[in-house]
Structure formats: structure tokens, C-alpha cells
Amino acid sequence: GDAEVMRILDDAPRPKHVILHCFSSHLDVAREAIERGYVLSFAGNVTFKRNEELRAAAALAPVGQLLVETDAPFMTPEPFRGAKNEPALIGHTAKVIAEARGMDVADVLAAKSSARSSSTHPFCSLSIGQSKSHSHAQLGGRAGKSTPPLDLEGQSAHGYG
């Protein structure tokens, strides 16, 4: 599914921002996406023990191309895996990403704050990757005065520490 999604993005009109929602693809896809200027958005699955490659992708993404999301009520981060996910748990995901980057969560937040720029242009949000049972790709868009969903900036420290 990854190759097809990347091909579709090549053929589609280019929005100012492309966000790979709930990124769960291989490291080579992360590298290609970063080269293209896409934003990698990570959910609770980055905290799962078996997802070392996903943490490597989170470490690889420049801070300006990195988002943290909840994907609530799904993809509940460790140590709450199996329970219903909620926004209050995003701190666990942010902490794991910061650790993968060799940073403190506060430093990631500060870097995100300085790298952030608001947008009034359309952006594309894309779900790309593989679940246990199937590959999936969803393409959606937003226009107007929107910013990427659930960016690290402004998130409460609740949920980690």
C-alpha cells in the first residue's frame, strides 16, 4: 500500500502540507516522506515494544516534520494498551518519541514551538501504513485557517512524568 499511496501523492495536486497520519510504515518510507517534505504524525503505536523501527522513524524526522497524535479512541499507548485511548494519554506517546530522539519532552516541545508556523493553505492528511490484518491508506484534506491536528505545542504535560 505504501508505494501506491506515494504514487498517488506524486500524481495529485500538491497541497502546502502533507501529513502522514498515524504513521506506521517502514523506515525507507519515512526517509522518502521526509525527503518530500511530508510531516510524519505518530500515535500510541510508536510506544509498543515491537515498534523499534517506528521509533527510529520518529527520531529521524526533523522537528518541523513531526507531529504527535492520539488517534483516540484507538492506538492507546503503553502502559495503557488495551484500554480506550483518550487525549490525556498523549504525554506517554510524546515521552517515547522524545526518548527515541535522545531529548527531554520539554526540549521537543520547545523545538516544536520554534519550528511551528501557522497555515492558511490547504493541507493533506494521509493515513499510511499497515495494520496487523491489512494495508490501509486514507486521503483527506482541510482548507482555511487550520493547523495540523494534535501538534505537540500546547499539549498539557498530563500523562507522563
Side-chain angles (χ1 to χ4, degrees):
D2 292 342
E4 182 179 0
V5 169
M6 297 302 260
R7 182 192 56 73
I8 290 168
L9 285 170
D10 276 341
D11 295 343
R14 299 190 190 266
K16 183 174 180 178
H17 303 287
V18 174
I19 300 172
L20 300 181
H21 161 69
C22 201
F23 188 82
S24 60
S25 296
H26 296 287
L27 201 50
D28 58 331
V29 177
R31 285 187 187 103
E32 181 179 352
I34 291 165
E35 272 184 34
R36 292 181 183 201
Y38 300 166
V39 174
L40 304 183
S41 185
F42 296 93
N45 58 333
V46 75
T47 70
F48 300 169
K49 290 178 179 96
R50 64 175 167 77
N51 280 346
E52 190 63 37
E53 188 173 19
L54 200 51
R55 287 185 289 282
L60 183 67
V63 74
Q65 290 175 260
L66 173 70
L67 292 175
V68 179
E69 64 175 296
T70 64
D71 200 40
F74 309 106
M75 301 242 185
T76 307
E78 296 285 353
F80 301 102
R81 191 171 179 188
K84 183 178 176 184
N85 196 4
E86 57 184 65
L89 300 178
I90 197 168
H92 292 282
T93 304
K95 181 180 179 188
V96 167
I97 290 171
E99 288 170 353
R101 299 174 69 81
M103 301 173 76
D104 291 328
V105 173
D107 294 334
V108 173
L109 292 172
K112 285 297 296 169
S113 293
S114 65
R116 184 182 177 109
S117 64
S118 62
S119 172
T120 57
H121 300 283
F123 70 88
C124 171
S125 177
L126 175 70
S127 179
I128 182 172
Q130 298 187 8
S131 69
K132 280 185 170 179
S133 60
H134 65 284
S135 297
H136 62 279
Q138 288 181 299
L139 190 59
R142 264 195 229 186
K145 294 182 181 178
S146 55
T147 56
L150 296 171
D151 194 344
L152 271 174
E153 183 183 347
Q155 294 301 319
S156 141
H158 176 75
Y160 61 84

